C-alpha cells in the first residue's frame, strides 16, 4: 500500500510540474506590448517659438513615442513623391491649402507604418481648427485609440517676439538655439553635428506679429474644444526650458 501511495504522489507531482511548464511556455517571449495605460498620445500646442521644437524631442525620447511634426511630414511626403505627397503638391502648386483629409491620412500612415509610434505619439502642428480636431478624433477612434492629453505652451506675444528674433535653427534636425537665452557652444554651429545654424527668413517682428494673430484666432476654438473634453493642460512657457520640461513631464506621469 505504501508503494502505491508514493507512486500516486509522484504522478500528481509530475502532473503539477507539467502544468507549470505549459503555463510558462505559453507566456509571450521578449518585451510585452505596452498596455494603453503605458502609452502616450498627446498634442503639443503653442505659438511659433514657444518651445515646441525643444520639448517635443524630449517627450519622444523620455516616453519612447514618435514625434509627428506635420509640417515636416508634409515636406517629407512631397519629397518622397508618395501618393499623398503627389496629391498635396498639386494642391500647393495651384495655390490651395492641403485638405484636412490629406493631413489626417498622413498622420494615420505614420501610426500604421512608423515603428516608433507603437507606444504612442506627440503631435506638433495639428490640429489647427476644430474640424481638424474632429477628423483626428474620428481617425483615432476607428483605430480603437484616443488622446490622453492636449498641452498648450502659454507665453506673452512680446516676450515671444524677442525670443524668436534671436532664434537659430539646425535645419537637418530642427534643433533650436537662441543667441542670448540658449546660445550654441560655438557661435553659429550646432553642438552635436558641428554643422552651421541658420536664422529663418520669417523670424522677424513684422512676420511674427501676423503669424501670432493667426495663431490666436485659430487656436482659441481648438483649445475650447479640448477643454470641454477635459484633455487640456496649460503650461507657462516663459519659464526656463528645464522647468517647462518638469511641468510637461508631470502632466504625462500623473495621468489616470
Amino acid at each position: 500500500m505504501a508503494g502505491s501511495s508514493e507512486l500516486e504522489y509522484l504522478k500528481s507531482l509530475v502532473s503539477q510540474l507539467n502544468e507549470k511548464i505549459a503555463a510558462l511556455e505559453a507566456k509571450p517571449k521578449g518585451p510585452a506590448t505596452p498596455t494603453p495605460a503605458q502609452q502616450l498620445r498627446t498634442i503639443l500646442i503653442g505659438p511659433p517659438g514657444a518651445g515646441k521644437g525643444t520639448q517635443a524631442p524630449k517627450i519622444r525620447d523620455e516616453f519612447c513615442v514618435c514625434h509627428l511634426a506635420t509640417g515636416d511630414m508634409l515636406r517629407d511626403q512631397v519629397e518622397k513623391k508618395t501618393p499623398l505627397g503627389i496629391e498635396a503638391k498639386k494642391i500647393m502648386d495651384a495655390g490651395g491649402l492641403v485638405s484636412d483629409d490629406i493631413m489626417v491620412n498622413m498622420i494615420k500612415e505614420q501610426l500604421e507604418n512608423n515603428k516608433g509610434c507603437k507606444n504612442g505619439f506627440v503631435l506638433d502642428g495639428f490640429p489647427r481648427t476644430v474640424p481638424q480636431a474632429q477628423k483626428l478624433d474620428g481617425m483615432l477612434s476607428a483605430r480603437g485609440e484616443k488622446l490622453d492629453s492636449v498641452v498648450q505652451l502659454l507665453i506673452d506675444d512680446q516676450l515671444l517676439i524677442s525670443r524668436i528674433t534671436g532664434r537659430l535653427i539646425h535645419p537637418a534636425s530642427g534643433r533650436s538655439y537662441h543667441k542670448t537665452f540658449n546660445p550654441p557652444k560655438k557661435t553659429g554651429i550646432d553642438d552635436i553635428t558641428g554643422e552651421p545654424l541658420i536664422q529663418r527668413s520669417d523670424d522677424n517682428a513684422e512676420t511674427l506679429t501676423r503669424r501670432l494673430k493667426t495663431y490666436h484666432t485659430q487656436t482659441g476654438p481648438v483649445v475650447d474644444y479640448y477643454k470641454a473634453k477635459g484633455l487640456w493642460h496649460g503650461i507657462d512657457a516663459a519659464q526656463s526650458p528645464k522647468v517647462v520640461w518638469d511641468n510637461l513631464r508631470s502632466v504625462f506621469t500623473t495621468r489616470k
Side-chain angles (χ1 to χ4, degrees), residues 12-221:
S12 172
L13 188 60
V14 169
S15 176
Q16 291 176 37
L17 287 170
N18 284 334
E19 288 177 5
K20 188 166 184 65
I21 289 169
L24 289 169
E25 287 179 338
K27 284 187 175 181
K29 295 178 176 64
T33 301
T35 63
Q38 294 172 305
Q39 296 178 334
L40 174 67
R41 301 182 188 91
T42 191
I43 295 173
L44 197 56
I45 296 177
K52 299 192 301 299
T54 298
Q55 301 298 339
K58 290 185 178 182
I59 300 170
R60 176 197 65 205
D61 296 342
E62 174 81 6
F63 296 94
C64 298
V65 298
C66 60
H67 173 206
L68 301 180
T70 51
D72 293 340
M73 286 166 51
L74 181 58
R75 286 187 288 272
D76 184 59
Q77 294 270 355
V78 170
E79 286 176 9
K80 290 181 177 177
K81 298 182 179 179
T82 65
L84 286 171
I86 291 170
E87 190 177 350
K89 189 173 188 304
K90 286 179 183 176
I91 294 169
M92 291 188 292
D93 287 347
L97 293 174
V98 176
S99 72
D100 296 348
D101 287 332
I102 289 178
M103 294 307 301
V104 170
N105 282 331
M106 284 186 181
I107 295 167
K108 180 182 177 184
E109 191 267 341
Q110 285 291 312
L111 298 183
E112 291 175 350
N113 300 309
N114 185 339
K115 291 181 180 179
C117 296
K118 68 178 182 179
N119 294 345
F121 59 83
V122 51
L123 188 54
D124 168 8
F126 190 93
R128 295 175 185 266
T129 66
V130 171
Q132 288 178 352
Q134 293 169 334
K135 285 182 182 291
L136 177 65
D137 282 348
M139 183 271 285
L140 291 174
S141 178
R143 290 173 50 83
E145 300 172 350
K146 62 180 181 179
L147 290 169
D148 302 308
S149 57
V150 176
V151 182
Q152 183 179 14
L153 300 179
L154 305 166
I155 186 168
D156 178 75
D157 284 1
Q158 290 306 311
L159 176 56
L160 198 57
I161 289 171
S162 69
R163 270 190 180 186
I164 295 180
T165 50
R167 185 168 64 173
L168 298 168
I169 305 291
H170 177 240
S173 69
R175 273 187 294 277
S176 60
Y177 301 83
H178 191 279
K179 293 176 182 177
T180 304
F181 306 126
N182 180 35
K185 293 174 183 176
K186 187 176 179 181
T187 303
I189 299 297
D190 179 50
D191 289 349
I192 296 175
T193 65
E195 295 171 343
L197 301 173
I198 65 165
Q199 184 164 23
R200 289 177 178 164
S201 59
D202 57 353
D203 280 357
N204 60 75
E206 184 180 350
T207 301
L208 285 167
T209 300
R210 289 199 303 269
R211 289 173 67 191
L212 287 169
K213 184 177 180 181
T214 301
Y215 166 79
H216 291 306
T217 301
Q218 289 181 337
T219 304

